[in-house]
Each structure stands twice: as C-alpha cells, then as structure tokens.
Amino acid sequence: MRKILLTGIAMMTIAISSCDDQTYLTGNSLTADVDRFSIETDTFDVKTKSVLAGSVISRSMYTYLGRIKDPETGSYITSDYTTAFSLLENEAAYVFANEDYIANKDSLGIVADSCYLSVFVNSFQGDSLAAMKLNVHELAKPIGESRTYYSDFDPEQEGYLRSDANSINENVMYSMSDLTLSDSLRKKQQSNSYYQCIHIPLNKVYIDKEGRRYSNYGTYVMKQYYEHPEYFKNYQTFVRKVCPGFYFKTADGLGVMSEIYRTQLNIDYTYELDGEKNEGTKTFNSTPEVMQTTHISNDPASIRDLAEKDTTFTYLKTPAGIFTEVELPVDDIKQGHEKDSITLAEVVFTRLNDNSQLTDDMLEEPENLLLIQKDSLGKFFMNRDLTDNILTYIASYNSIMKTYTFSNIAHLVNAMYKNKGVSENWNKAVLVPVETTMAATSSSASASTVVSIANEMNVNSVRLVRGRTTDGKHSDIRISIIYNKNE
C-alpha cells in the first residue's frame, strides 16, 4: 500500500505538470530519450536502539535551577548554574551618574542605596508550592571563554568560588507560586503572563579580596567605577576586574525545576540634580552573549539501566540522558539502484502509544529533534553549527500524530553511501533533543529562522517505537524511498 500511494503521488505530480495540451510536446522535443526517467518506490526497515548521551555541551539560551525526582528512574536530577553580566562598550561613559551628584555618602564616600540579584523564571516543571532553598555564591574568577563546558562541569569542585570568609554566600527560600503576591498577580502568574522572580539581597557589608570594606556590594561596584573607569570599558574587563559573576546552587528542596531566562544585578542609588533628589538604578543583565554554564547532577547508573532494560522501544531523555541511534539501511536502499538518483527519503519516528500517566502527564516530549551522523555529533555543538538539510536535519513534534517526521533525508543517504566503510558508524545517525532559538529575518518581520541550536537541558522524556533489531524482532520503522531511474 505504501508503494502504491507514493507511486500515485509521484505520477500525479507528473500528470499535473503535463496537463496543458498546448505545451506538453515542447517538453518532449527538448528532452533527449536518454534523459527521460521513470519513478520507482520502495520501503526498508530501519534499526534503532537507545544510547547513553553522557555529559553534553551546556551552551543554551536558558540556564536551569532546581531539583526534581525523575519518575522513570526514581533518581534525582539537580541543576545549578553560573552567570556573568553584560556590559557594552558604549555604556562606559554613563554606567552611573557623575560622582559629584551622588546624594548618599558616608565617611568613606559614596553609598549605594541597595543592591540585589533578580532571577527571572521563564517556565517550570513540578509543584508550584514546593519550598526550595537557593544558595548564591560569589565567583573568585571568571569562567574562561576559551574552554567548552559540559553539563558535568562543577565550578565548586574546580575552584571557581571565592572561598574566604568575606565572600558573598547568601541563602534564600523560594517557591514558584509566591504566596506573598496579591490574588490578581498570582492569577497572572498562573496564566503565564507574569514571570516569577527570585530576589537575593546583597545589602550586607561587603569586603573585597584586598580587604577593603564597603556598605554593600552595590557600593563596591560603584566605587570601582569612579576609581577605575577603565574596568568598565567592556564586558571582558568588567568580569576580570570587577564582577566575575555568581554561582546559583540548589541547596535544599525537591519538586521543581525552573528554566531561567535572565539574571540581573541591580544597584539602586540616589543622585541630586538642580536641587532635586532622583532615584537611579543600574541593571547588569545576563545575556546569551555572556558566559553561562549549567551544571547537571543525575544518576548515570539509573539512566544506563533504563536504556538497557527494555528493547521493545527506544528513549529520548534529557538532560544529559539518552539518545536514539538510527542505523539506516543504505546498502539495501542502493542495491540495484547504484546509478539511480534518490529524490525522496522519508522516515517517521512515532511515540510509543501506551496511554500511561507517566508519558501523558508527568514528562513532556522534546519539542525538536536533531538528526545527525553519529561521528559528527560532538563537532556540531562544539562549532555552534546550524542544520543544512544535507547532513543535518531538524523535526518538530506533531502532538496530534505523536510523531517526528524527517520528510526528505535523501542527501544524507547518498552521503553515507559515498563514504561507506570510512568508519564503523558510516551508516549510523543519532536523534538528539535540541533547543532552537529563532530570530526574525531581515526581509520579513513575520518570518523567522533558526539562529542557534543547543542541547535540550530541560527535563523531557519520550519513548519511541523501535525499529528492527539485530535479531529481526521488530520492523516498526520504515524509510520510504522514491528513485528516479534513467530509461
């Protein structure tokens, strides 16, 4: 039936293109007999299996914070993150008001009114009332940009935290449903039109690494600006000389995982102008351009057991969990068609339809999947590559059909055949859950294009129908091929 349907579609396309009885002879007259082709279709079994992802590059638009129990493994997933703060070169001249105008001063000079960190939550998974404890620790040095950081990077273990007794080390309790808000604001929060924000005050006396004392951390930053304006000429000098950043660690609590879209360092001050006092605030933002890392802690043994215990389906599990390996039947596809061209190669991966609470309610399916040759996986994320629809492809989850469809991977099949035997993985690809960042195109404000692709770091999981195994027990995944044959 699949062959009949594909053949019918192909022949209909040819018939439609030839329906004008005034012009069809022109095409024949311009086409030599040797160039005429016929169409043939076929389908082939695809092999799949679960493979361990290990640690993944933690370069993402978002950072993650919290601790949640994985309902599939029974183990715990914990996320912490570091961030620095952005400073543009064109800001250097007016980061703060002129020092002479600062209204609040003490015996040591100017004073910031207050200073605090703000953590903005984009979305969360789990219990909105779960009580969580956050520890915020000052970094002793910047997270260097010359290194690639993976999800197992632990800044505490690697000595990036300031360890002396005077370092900032604050603990804050929070939950996603802030019961201190009014009913109207809480309703907005629940409807996703209001983002939860976690505030961490930094108003205690601050002593820098040289032993200098300041009324709070904001006063320290302001005095650095007035004494050393060259430290504020760009982001690099700011993180090296003034503020390396902070580590946000889940210290206690269970039941919620938060996706963080922005972290801010805010400094409030008062300045006097023309005899009137005015309030000013300087906000330093985390942005995708500054260095941020997410540290994922999970149980590798339980993930390994999950991947190996059941061979009737495969997993896609994040963060740093399980991928699905896809072995394409390239030899079978090309056998007898060595000189023919492949114009279509479609493969569909279907979610296991078990109607369980686990898959329907507790864990979300990854929204986007990357299909990439197995040997190219590490290089793709290392180089910040984008898909080219030749060797790399992206498919989105269809919630109605419960499928991921790669509509035409003909270029990939041809490339694999050309490089047959180059490595043991020459005919293998991997399905990887990814997060994509979109941006409007220059030609149309309503159109958008993918500008970055990163490993999915949220807690997602889906079980896929499995393809044929080495013992031939399953054949539930098929790749559909259309050939152009020369007559």
Side-chain angles (χ1 to χ4, degrees), residues 425-456:
N425 298 319
W426 68 273
N427 63 340
K428 294 182 177 68
V430 184
L431 292 174
V432 181
V434 292
E435 166 204 301
T436 60
T437 304
M438 310 294 291
T441 61
S442 57
S443 59
S444 173
S446 60
S448 60
T449 185
V450 175
V451 294
S452 71
I453 299 172
N455 284 288
E456 178 62 71

Side-chain angles (χ1 to χ4, degrees), residues 186-426:
R186 197 175 301 118
K187 287 180 180 178
K188 288 183 180 180
Q189 179 188 19
Q190 292 168 352
S191 66
N192 291 328
S193 62
Y194 176 84
Y195 294 114
Q196 167 68 305
C197 181
I198 306 166
H199 293 291
I200 304 99
L202 303 179
N203 291 320
K204 296 178 182 177
V205 170
Y206 178 70
I207 301 175
D208 67 16
K209 288 183 287 187
E210 283 70 42
R212 295 178 61 185
R213 188 182 184 91
Y214 305 87
S215 60
N216 56 40
Y217 189 76
T219 301
Y220 156 74
V221 175
M222 291 182 71
K223 285 195 172 184
Q224 294 299 307
Y225 176 70
Y226 296 127
E227 294 174 7
H228 300 282
E230 69 275 13
Y231 293 174
F232 292 75
K233 67 179 181 180
N234 54 40
Y235 159 71
Q236 286 76 18
T237 57
F238 181 67
V239 297
R240 287 201 311 268
K241 300 292 187 179
V242 182
C243 178
F246 292 87
Y247 180 41
F248 297 79
K249 182 180 179 179
T250 300
D252 201 359
L254 175 67
V256 67
M257 184 68 69
S258 303
E259 185 177 71
I260 311 301
Y261 79 97
R262 184 186 303 158
T263 307
Q264 293 180 340
L265 171 64
N266 305 282
I267 301 172
D268 296 334
Y269 60 94
T270 303
Y271 64 98
E272 190 169 346
L273 189 62
D274 297 330
E276 293 186 2
K277 288 188 176 181
N278 301 274
E279 294 180 351
T281 298
K282 173 57 186 176
T283 297
F284 299 90
N285 288 294
S286 68
T287 68
E289 290 74 30
V290 305
M291 179 53 68
Q292 300 183 89
T293 66
T294 295
H295 172 225
I296 304 295
S297 176
N298 53 19
D299 182 10
S302 65
I303 294 174
R304 185 183 303 107
D305 290 344
L306 191 68
E308 296 175 353
K309 75 176 182 179
D310 200 319
T311 60
T312 60
F313 50 81
T314 65
Y315 277 98
L316 293 170
K317 190 172 183 63
T318 62
I322 305 173
F323 298 155
T324 288
E325 179 184 286
V326 180
E327 183 177 340
L328 295 173
V330 178
D331 274 337
D332 293 340
I333 291 171
K334 294 297 290 186
Q335 185 175 5
H337 296 278
E338 291 81 359
K339 296 182 180 180
D340 300 331
S341 58
I342 300 173
T343 58
L344 183 141
E346 179 184 274
V347 61
V348 180
F349 299 94
T350 304
R351 199 199 84 167
L352 190 69
N353 188 23
D354 59 1
N355 296 317
S356 70
Q357 181 185 8
L358 183 65
T359 55
D360 289 338
D361 299 332
M362 300 179 69
L363 291 169
E364 298 177 353
E365 302 86 354
E367 184 176 347
N368 297 296
L369 293 188
L370 170 72
L371 178 66
I372 183 171
Q373 286 181 290
K374 188 173 183 179
D375 287 341
S376 301
L377 180 59
K379 183 174 65 175
F380 181 88
F381 292 103
M382 184 81 71
N383 296 341
R384 304 173 186 248
D385 289 339
L386 300 177
T387 51
D388 56 11
N389 290 322
I390 298 175
L391 299 178
T392 51
Y393 305 80
I394 280 186
S396 297
Y397 182 65
N398 185 319
S399 59
I400 298 175
M401 303 300 295
K402 301 186 184 307
T403 57
Y404 300 92
T405 299
F406 293 89
S407 57
N408 194 356
I409 60 170
H411 288 298
L412 178 60
V413 173
N414 288 326
M416 286 179 167
Y417 185 69
K418 182 179 179 181
N419 294 309
K420 179 180 177 180
V422 170
S423 78
E424 63 178 355
N425 298 319
W426 68 273

Side-chain angles (χ1 to χ4, degrees), residues 10-28 31 37:
M11 296 307 294
M12 184 180 296
T13 303
I14 295 174
I16 292 171
S17 65
S18 307
C19 65
D20 186 347
D21 60 4
Q22 299 299 317
T23 59
Y24 76 97
L25 291 176
T26 303
N28 279 345
T31 305
F37 60 86

